[in-house]
Amino acid sequence: MAPTDEDNQPSSRHSALTDATPPDRPPTEGAVAAVARMPRWLPRAMVLALALIAAFQLGSWAFHQLTGLLINILIAFFLALAIEPAVSRMAARGMRRGLATFLVFLGLTIAVAGFVTLLGSMLAGQIIKMIEGFPDYLDSLINWTNETFHTELRRVDVQEGLLHSDWLRKYAQNSAAGVLDVSTQVLGGLFQLLTIGLFSFYFAADGPRLRRALCSVLPPARQTEVLRAWEIAVDKTGGYLYSRGLMALISGVAHYILLQALDVPYAPVLGVWVGLVSQFIPTIGTYLAGALPMLIAFTVEPWYAVWVLGFVVVYQQFENYVLQPKLTARTVDIHPAVAFGSVIAGTALLGAVGALIAIPAVATLQAFLGAYVKRYAVTDDPRVHGHRRRSPSGPGVLTRIRRLWAGRPEPEES
């Protein structure tokens, strides 16, 4: 007997249930733990990131705290490079490097101390002279004011007004409060000079030992490059100081002749002042150096200050365009624009210290990198020498304008 549809209904339901996709079973506790478990590398990465951040913060803090010491060491290093030729020359004759370095520093100390003593005595004498002659200057100024503006000023009234003015009282209070700050700055400056002198003495006296210690941690190829860079730095720094010293001598003699001709007191000391300050303070050194001779010349005769100012400006142009290119061509060999830019960059980075060491540092870097730059022969083209090539399309714009202005027609093109 054949099965009916009613009989087949349960079997079809069973087959439909068996063919359908079984429902997802809920995950067990072990599977949940496996999915939620943190990767093994993540804690180590977090600890490493935190350690790097802490090391960076610590290094940044230490660098900012040691900035002053690092700048002093940099100054000492360049000072040691500057005296290296003299020390090496004395050591080559059989003298110990320590004794040779001491003698060089002793000579520099005596020269600087003598110059500061002469300059201080000159300034003290001029200040005393200006204070003693202040009533006469005030009388002449009051007389000129009364005659010019038809006023009735008196010296007694002016002196009483100055003595009882709020500006003078506040200035006296600020000066009294700033005495401690000035003393602290003086002591800090002396300690800084002592630190620079000590490091520069060790750099110069133990120069060979320092080079051996540096080369001992480098492969032979790198050792050659380091020694070559060191030698270039010594040559450029020494050449820079040599050229600056020679220009300071010429500038000092020139200004001494002018001041002596004008019968300005302390002409030799003022000449040395102008020579040193104008050469070893870049950019503004000339005008800063000329301010003191102008002030002292003004105490002798006001028109003498004008003569000194004119001579300073004229001599500065002569030095920039005639004297300096010839003296620095073989020693520093750096373009004036590059020198000016390096001074500005050094000032922005390290202040006055950067302005002093910028030129020898850039000259050293330029000479060192010049050996690794491949150069080619320059093509024989008029444009290399600044001559423009004529356009083959026809006459220029100015020629066409002149022809139209003269009423001549344009030539027909072939």
Side-chain angles (χ1 to χ4, degrees), residues 325-338:
K326 292 184 178 180
L327 292 180
T328 60
R330 296 183 179 180
T331 55
V332 181
D333 192 16
I334 184 172
H335 195 273
V338 178

Side-chain angles (χ1 to χ4, degrees), residues 268-286:
V269 182
L270 289 175
V272 175
W273 162 265
V274 173
L276 293 178
V277 175
S278 63
Q279 300 304 322
F280 291 99
I281 297 181
T283 308
I284 63 172
T286 301

Side-chain angles (χ1 to χ4, degrees), residues 6-312:
E6 294 180 358
D7 295 336
N8 292 335
Q9 185 176 2
S11 60
S12 60
R13 289 179 181 178
H14 179 73
S15 62
L17 291 175
T18 55
D19 294 339
T21 304
D24 295 337
R25 295 181 180 180
T28 60
E29 296 182 357
V32 173
V35 172
R37 183 181 299 172
M38 184 181 299
R40 294 182 179 180
W41 57 267
L42 186 58
R44 297 179 181 178
M46 295 175 63
V47 172
L48 180 60
L50 293 176
L52 290 177
I53 293 174
F56 175 77
Q57 295 292 336
L58 180 61
S60 178
W61 173 81
F63 178 78
H64 285 88
Q65 295 295 323
L66 298 176
T67 300
L69 178 61
L70 295 176
I71 292 176
N72 292 337
I73 293 176
L74 183 63
I75 298 173
F77 179 72
F78 273 92
L79 182 59
L81 291 179
I83 66 174
E84 176 71 21
V87 174
S88 299
R89 191 175 295 110
M90 297 171 68
R93 297 181 179 179
M95 186 180 297
R96 296 177 57 185
R97 288 189 64 90
L99 180 59
T101 306
F102 174 75
L103 291 178
V104 173
F105 269 93
L106 181 62
L108 290 175
T109 304
I110 292 175
V112 172
F115 173 70
V116 171
T117 302
L118 291 176
L119 185 63
S121 62
M122 179 199 67
L123 289 177
Q126 291 300 316
I127 290 173
I128 294 173
K129 184 178 179 181
M130 291 177 63
I131 293 175
E132 292 177 351
F134 180 75
D136 297 333
Y137 294 136
L138 188 59
D139 288 338
S140 62
L141 180 61
I142 291 174
N143 294 332
W144 178 82
T145 305
N146 291 332
E147 293 176 359
T148 305
F149 300 101
H150 304 288
T151 58
E152 296 181 356
L153 296 176
R154 295 184 304 172
R155 189 178 72 180
V156 178
D157 298 336
V158 175
Q159 289 178 349
E160 289 181 356
L162 290 175
L163 292 175
H164 295 88
S165 62
D166 295 336
W167 174 81
L168 184 61
R169 179 173 54 82
K170 292 180 180 179
Y171 179 76
Q173 292 176 357
N174 295 331
S175 299
V179 170
L180 182 61
D181 296 337
V182 172
S183 302
T184 304
Q185 292 179 0
V186 170
L187 292 177
L190 292 177
F191 180 76
Q192 186 176 5
L193 289 177
L194 180 62
T195 303
I196 293 173
L198 184 64
F199 274 106
S200 59
F201 179 85
Y202 283 126
F203 284 153
D206 294 339
R209 184 184 304 176
L210 180 62
R211 286 191 286 269
R212 288 196 300 268
L214 183 61
C215 292
S216 62
V217 296
L218 297 174
R222 298 295 181 184
Q223 293 179 15
T224 304
E225 294 181 0
V226 168
L227 293 176
R228 181 176 175 274
W230 194 295
E231 193 68 22
I232 291 175
V234 171
D235 293 339
K236 293 300 179 181
T237 306
Y240 171 74
L241 292 180
Y242 168 75
S243 60
R244 288 292 173 178
L246 188 57
M247 286 191 294
L249 178 62
I250 298 173
S251 176
V253 171
H255 288 85
Y256 163 73
I257 294 174
L258 173 69
L259 297 174
Q260 191 68 29
L262 296 177
D263 200 14
V264 177
Y266 302 100
V269 182
L270 289 175
V272 175
W273 162 265
V274 173
L276 293 178
V277 175
S278 63
Q279 300 304 322
F280 291 99
I281 297 181
T283 308
I284 63 172
T286 301
Y287 306 102
L288 182 63
L292 183 60
M294 287 173 55
L295 179 62
I296 297 178
F298 183 82
T299 61
V300 178
E301 177 66 32
W303 281 105
Y304 287 175
V306 179
W307 282 101
V308 173
L309 176 61
F311 183 81
V312 167

